[in-house]
Amino acid sequence: MPHKRAIGAILLIFLAWSAFPAGTSAADPAEPAQAPPAPPPAVGMTAPTFTVPDLYGNAVDVAGLIRGKPALVSFWASWCQGCIAEIPRLRALSREYRGLGLVIVGVGLKQGGETPEKQRHEAARELVNYQLVFDADKKYETTYGLNAIPFNVLLGPDGKISWIGRLLPDNLEDRIKAHIIEARRMEGSPRE
């Protein structure tokens, strides 16, 4: 008798499973299919930017912050040793070129249990002197297809990506200076 029940249960499972033709699922047919993710931004493209909170929860419109200026967007987390190793260079760039129009934005990712509090603590320890925001809804992480950090994006004053990569390039200052000159031309200011 127990064998008949087991065979009956197996038969019932088989019939239920075979009710769906190959290549279909029991998902709601009214639900739209998921589109494949868009390719991440690349050199020459306008950089996607979002309004995200700073490390205290205040909304920061990154597009408004960098509009018409050369900008360096650096993705980081407090647990990322490579990111922490880049902070002194970013701090020096901010000190040197902020008065000439460069904007540096550190976008903190929410990976690995990261919180704004952890990033505030690390930023204070490292004497960060540039704008920090937190990618609370993972808009940047998803849009840029980030799977490793540090990750950096250099933008011209036109908002287009001129360089993108993991580690800051050796010729970064030359690139920044060229963007500062470009920004002044766009404003109609004489070159220095």
Side-chain angles (χ1 to χ4, degrees), residues 69-140:
K69 300 176 183 175
L72 179 61
V73 180
S74 182
F75 298 96
W76 77 295
S78 66
W79 49 261
C80 168
Q81 291 306 307
C83 304
I84 303 308
E86 285 188 342
I87 289 175
R89 187 169 179 201
L90 294 171
R91 193 176 56 227
L93 289 168
S94 179
R95 186 175 46 251
E96 180 77 20
Y97 297 105
R98 178 180 34 227
L100 299 173
L102 176 68
V103 176
I104 297 178
V105 181
V107 178
L109 301 185
K110 196 175 176 179
Q111 298 175 353
E114 190 71 321
T115 65
E117 293 78 21
K118 290 177 184 178
Q119 291 186 1
R120 278 198 313 264
H121 175 75
E122 192 61 38
R125 229 172 59 102
E126 294 294 329
L127 304 173
V128 170
N129 62 352
Y130 48 89
Q131 177 70 57
L132 296 176
V133 297
F134 190 68
D135 191 22
D137 295 329
K138 298 188 174 189
K139 293 176 184 175
Y140 281 99

Side-chain angles (χ1 to χ4, degrees), residues 30-83:
E31 211 172 287
Q34 291 286 334
V43 170
M45 294 175 63
T46 299
T49 55
F50 305 97
T51 297
V52 290
D54 65 11
L55 299 185
Y56 296 93
N58 303 307
V60 176
D61 173 17
V62 176
L65 187 66
I66 65 174
R67 185 172 294 115
K69 300 176 183 175
L72 179 61
V73 180
S74 182
F75 298 96
W76 77 295
S78 66
W79 49 261
C80 168
Q81 291 306 307
C83 304

